[in-house]
Amino acid sequence: MEIMEKIVSLCKRRGIIFPGSEIYEGITGFWDYGPVGVEMKNNLKREWWKYMVYGREDVVGLDAAIVMNPKVWEASGHVKSFVDPLVECKICHQRFRSDKKSEIDAHEKLHKDEKVDWTEPKMFNILTEVYLGVTEPKQKAYLRGEITQGVFVNFRNVVDSTRVKIPFGIAQIGKAFRNEITPGNFTYRSREFEQMELEYFIKPNEEEGKRWFSKWKETRLEWYKSLGINEKNLRFRDHEVDERAHYARFATDIEYMAPFGWSEFEGIHHRGDWDLSRHKLTYKDSETGEEYTPWVIETSGGVDRAFLFFLIDSYREEEKRIFLKLHPKLAPVKAAVFPLVRNKENIVAKAKDVYKMLKSHFVTAFDDRGNIGKRYLAQDEIGTPYCVTIDYQTLEDGTVTIRDRDTTKQERIKIDELVGTVSKVL
Ligand code: ATP
């Protein structure tokens, strides 16, 4: 089985990701995160927020609405320019984006002996329309195609209501929607997804622009590395001039070596003064009185893509088990507690006590089904760093066995030491 198939199957089996609307045959490009997946996704977003907002003194947060006045999208250029070039294979009528060369090549290979003839590219706007109100004609609006514009339209509100001074950033995490021509590669290209973005406002100056652009590139790469992604699977790729989005002065992608090839999961964009000047917004320095339109360096990451790449990167197969070598900070469950046997009341009661105690510190699971080996396997598959077993000896001397996910080594420690041991890796 290909690695992607294995990941998809693991996600279904362990409640990480389910196909959207599955009992009605699904719906292309939409996915649901299950009980385990939602924990890991929240961890990912929390780590990002800690690093990008709480870890700094120059960034504040925001949570803007998904639907905005459509004038926002006209001003930002998305109604006109948020387009992808659609081509159709004349043999099988499948549609593709002509700017995704690897996907075009892969499709041409599928047809082997026949030469694929493509239709002329047609530009296709990927904003998703919604209709509001009860009387006809209803008001047309859009689900946001990027979360970014919510930051720009609130630029003045943030400046007026907080103590920020240039240079400063506004961070946001939230859903975006794109009517993608070719959703695929599991959650990689979806129609509904989440973004985690920073818009960093600087003085309009070439040197400042270059300095902050390279600073943010490095800072963002560091974050992925700090959460354990193998460096060898990461690279920067600068956009060619003709590939840049309509707003970008220059742009670099952080790419991951996915099983389907090098793939973008975060874009660092120098947006210049494109957006603020489109929305006719300026900044006035309260000390010097100087008024200008700031430039913006943006770091725009996909929560779902990062999630997928953390999964792929941590996936391990050994002779007798599959496990996710996830950074403990991302692991959906931090510890699991097992009573050695389920028919000894005092062992089960002790295990419940330990479970409750750990649960008040971090996400903890309790499992008393089947044999211990199977319980380990289940926790390994969702990347739980520690499994704790309560046995006969526990009742005598207050010690438990703690098993390490990566080495499978077991140690005996005191119940009092459990919280400290697990917390150390968090
Ligand atoms: P692509 O060319 O792969 O469609 P993009 O260059 O249009 O992506 P950006 O507009 O730069 O993407 O969006 C910023 C980030 O948002 C991307 O790096 C990615 O992580 C995420 N993203 C964009 N489109 C999708 C999507 N359809 N599904 C999941 N995540 C997405």
Side-chain angles (χ1 to χ4, degrees):
M1 229 202 298
E2 297 283 333
I3 173 91
M4 283 308 288
E5 281 173 51
K6 290 179 180 172
I7 300 261
V8 173
S9 142
L10 171 71
C11 284
K12 175 89 200 287
R13 179 163 86 239
R14 295 294 176 197
I16 302 175
I17 301 172
F18 306 127
S21 321
E22 197 182 12
I23 60 166
Y24 292 102
E25 292 151 25
I27 172 166
T28 309
F30 296 87
W31 299 92
D32 299 334
Y33 287 78
V36 170
V38 67
E39 294 300 331
M40 178 169 157
K41 198 179 189 204
N42 284 342
N43 292 343
L44 183 65
K45 292 192 279 184
R46 196 178 312 109
E47 287 307 315
W48 186 90
W49 198 266
K50 278 201 311 217
Y51 187 82
M52 299 295 281
V53 184
Y54 300 150
R56 308 182 57 94
E57 291 175 10
D58 55 352
V59 175
V60 293
L62 184 83
D63 183 15
I66 287 175
V67 176
M68 291 187 270
N69 189 314
K71 285 182 191 155
V72 171
W73 301 106
E74 280 156 30
S76 69
H78 284 78
V79 170
K80 190 164 154 245
S81 309
F82 202 42
V83 288
D84 282 336
L86 178 152
V87 289
E88 196 175 296
C89 164
K90 286 189 182 167
I91 303 171
C92 65
H93 302 290
Q94 267 201 67
R95 290 169 171 180
F96 291 90
R97 271 171 66 176
S98 64
D99 59 334
K100 296 284 168 197
K101 200 161 172 328
S102 57
E103 289 167 32
I104 293 280
D105 288 349
H107 188 70
E108 288 184 347
K109 271 197 199 124
L110 260 183
H111 283 296
K112 282 186 201 139
D113 314 325
E114 285 171 287
K115 177 159 171 21
V116 176
D117 204 6
W118 295 100
T119 58
E120 281 300 308
K122 248 197 269 167
M123 290 319 235
F124 176 82
N125 194 298
I126 58 173
L127 281 176
T128 315
E129 294 168 5
V130 283
Y131 292 87
L132 307 171
V134 283
T135 49
E136 297 290 347
K138 290 184 179 173
Q139 189 198 350
K140 180 166 123 179
Y142 303 99
L143 297 178
R144 60 186 177 192
E146 59 171 24
I147 63 170
T148 329
Q149 294 305 321
V151 168
F152 293 128
V153 300
N154 281 293
F155 177 75
R156 186 167 299 145
N157 284 336
V158 172
V159 170
D160 290 348
S161 62
T162 66
R163 297 180 59 237
V164 291
K165 278 207 172 70
I166 284 202
F168 74 91
I170 303 179
Q172 182 174 216
I173 299 179
K175 294 258 183 177
F177 300 80
R178 294 183 187 178
N179 198 359
E180 295 282 1
I181 300 167
T182 52
N185 286 326
F186 197 20
T187 54
Y188 179 77
R189 183 164 293 115
S190 313
R191 287 180 166 142
E192 173 177 342
F193 54 95
E194 248 178 311
Q195 294 184 308
M196 37 191 185
E197 289 192 348
L198 172 77
E199 306 304 321
Y200 198 78
F201 301 93
I202 59 170
K203 282 196 163 175
N205 168 304
E206 292 296 339
E207 279 313 305
E208 281 283 280
K210 278 193 199 127
R211 191 166 67 85
W212 281 108
F213 187 77
S214 69
K215 212 169 171 160
W216 278 114
K217 266 172 65 175
E218 296 307 327
T219 307
R220 291 304 306 142
L221 193 72
E222 261 323 298
W223 185 72
Y224 290 105
K225 291 200 277 189
S226 75
L227 288 172
I229 281 209
N230 184 348
E231 248 177 272
K232 286 201 199 111
N233 293 331
L234 294 174
R235 74 170 190 195
F236 288 121
R237 191 184 66 81
D238 290 336
H239 281 205
E240 304 292 336
V241 177
D242 60 353
E243 187 192 358
R244 283 178 207 155
H246 61 275
Y247 50 73
R249 285 168 66 103
F250 36 95
T252 297
D253 290 339
I254 304 183
E255 294 191 330
Y256 179 76
M257 181 66 229
F260 42 88
W262 284 103
S263 311
E264 162 184 350
F265 67 125
E266 173 149 346
I268 320 287
H269 308 127
H270 187 328
R271 293 177 82 116
D273 64 4
W274 169 269
D275 304 271
L276 289 184
S277 59
R278 283 291 190 125
H279 297 306
K280 300 189 174 57
L281 292 163
T282 56
Y283 173 83
K284 195 165 177 189
D285 190 307
S286 56
E287 275 158 32
T288 64
E290 190 191 357
E291 188 169 350
Y292 56 87
T293 309
W295 283 359
V296 177
I297 308 296
E298 164 185 80
T299 74
S300 173
V303 175
D304 311 80
R305 287 190 186 177
F307 186 109
L308 179 63
F309 293 157
F310 277 115
L311 271 188
I312 295 172
D313 210 64
S314 65
Y315 184 86
R316 300 283 187 285
E317 272 178 349
E318 285 176 357
E319 202 185 330
K320 291 206 178 109
R321 63 172 189 148
I322 288 170
F323 70 109
L324 295 181
K325 200 172 175 187
L326 282 172
H327 192 293
K329 283 182 176 163
L330 295 182
V333 174
K334 312 300 181 191
V337 178
F338 311 148
L340 180 68
V341 287
R342 63 191 299 188
N343 54 1
K344 281 273 174 292
E345 239 174 66
N346 42 4
I347 288 192
V348 174
K350 189 76 196 162
K352 277 269 159 77
D353 285 348
V354 172
Y355 163 64
K356 280 187 197 142
M357 189 257 298
L358 295 183
K359 200 167 147 58
S360 68
H361 293 272
F362 29 73
V363 180
T364 308
F366 181 85
D367 193 359
D368 61 358
R369 298 162 309 166
N371 65 43
I372 287 275
K374 278 209 180 125
R375 295 182 223 165
Y376 282 148
L377 291 187
Q379 295 303 324
D380 282 347
E381 288 201 353
I382 61 167
T384 306
Y386 292 112
C387 291
V388 176
T389 304
I390 279 63
D391 55 18
Y392 295 96
Q393 196 180 325
T394 312
L395 304 178
E396 285 163 22
D397 64 5
T399 64
V400 295
T401 63
I402 181 164
R403 170 187 177 270
D404 180 286
R405 173 196 69 197
D406 301 341
T407 61
T408 73
K409 288 227 170 71
Q410 297 183 31
E411 244 192 285
R412 265 209 105 81
I413 65 171
K414 292 207 186 87
I415 290 175
D416 298 349
E417 294 167 345
L418 274 175
V419 172
T421 306
V422 181
S423 302
K424 212 159 51 193
V425 298
L426 301 177

